[in-house]
Amino acid sequence: WSGADALAAGIVSETAGAEGLLAAARKRATELAPLGANRRAFGAQKESIFGENAALNEPHGAAFILKHGAQFH
């Protein structure tokens, strides 16, 4: 998919050229940051979407690593 095609198909919400990519990414990250403020609620939402036994909860999965971050210095 090109950026324009992905945008037209609804796969992405916006596109940016190479020169504006970092600024667009920072802007989007700032907009999304409050969603992670309540980690317990966010984790429960992800578990309800992906299921209790999803691969992301396995020892090498991102959710497991975030949940047990103290073990991964």
Side-chain angles (χ1 to χ4, degrees), residues 17-70:
E19 62 284 336
L21 184 59
L22 183 57
R26 285 183 173 153
K27 177 181 177 278
R28 187 67 175 144
T30 300
E31 294 168 357
L32 294 174
L35 297 177
N38 186 336
R39 300 293 301 162
R40 183 172 289 151
F42 191 55
Q45 291 170 5
K46 287 195 306 185
E47 190 170 295
S48 72
I49 292 169
F50 297 110
E52 184 178 334
N53 297 317
L56 59 102
N57 293 323
E58 296 297 319
H60 297 289
F64 182 90
I65 293 170
L66 286 171
K67 191 173 196 177
H68 303 286

Side-chain angles (χ1 to χ4, degrees), residues 1-14:
W1 296 83
S2 69
D5 289 339
L7 184 62
I11 296 171
V12 298
S13 57
E14 67 180 282

